[in-house]
Amino acid sequence: MIQDGGGSNVSDGSQMFSSNDVFQGNEGPGIALGSGTYFEASNSSFLNNGIGILAAASNLLFHGGTISGSVGNGMTILGGSILVFRNGTTITGNGGNGVHLEDASFAGFQSATVTGNLSGLDVDCARNSRSLTLSTETGGATNCVEPASQSKPKDAQ
């Protein structure tokens, strides 16, 4: 358990694997990921932190687990990070957005529930970021849209 302190920091280029861990009550992020890091969590919980997870230029994979009760965003994903949710991750009850994406970051939701976050948006895409929902379970409010196709229609043959 990472509790009541500064959370966990994963430095540039490192990898971290978390299984059934609890990151709670940390003033800043439950976990902060630096440039070039890889983080994989299986059924871990991020509860009542300043921010659940803060990542910059990182790759993240979640298999289940919960991100809830953060003062700010459940997750803040920056700098071209790639984030994938599988196997029923729940992100709810955070003071900001459930997931906030910036700077060409991407989130894929294969199976996740992102609802009930207090900012008004559960998944927020800012500055060229996007998300892709691969299941109908995401459920929350979002401003993420896929860009319109620039291809021209073909003439009928």
Side-chain angles (χ1 to χ4, degrees), residues 102-127:
E102 280 190 35
D103 304 323
S105 293
F106 171 82
F109 299 87
Q110 287 183 313
S111 178
T113 302
V114 189
T115 60
N117 296 285
L118 304 179
S119 75
L121 288 175
D122 294 299
V123 180
D124 177 31
C125 290
R127 293 197 277 186

Side-chain angles (χ1 to χ4, degrees), residues 40-53:
E40 185 172 335
S42 178
N43 297 313
S44 291
S45 297
F46 299 82
L47 308 172
N48 307 314
N49 296 292
I51 297 172
I53 297 164

Side-chain angles (χ1 to χ4, degrees), residues 5 15 27 38 40-41 47 52 56 58 76 87 89 106 124 132 144-145:
Q15 297 180 1
E27 291 180 18
Y38 176 80
E40 185 172 335
L47 308 172
S58 301
T76 299
N87 304 328
T89 304
F106 171 82
D124 177 31
L132 175 64
C144 302
V145 295

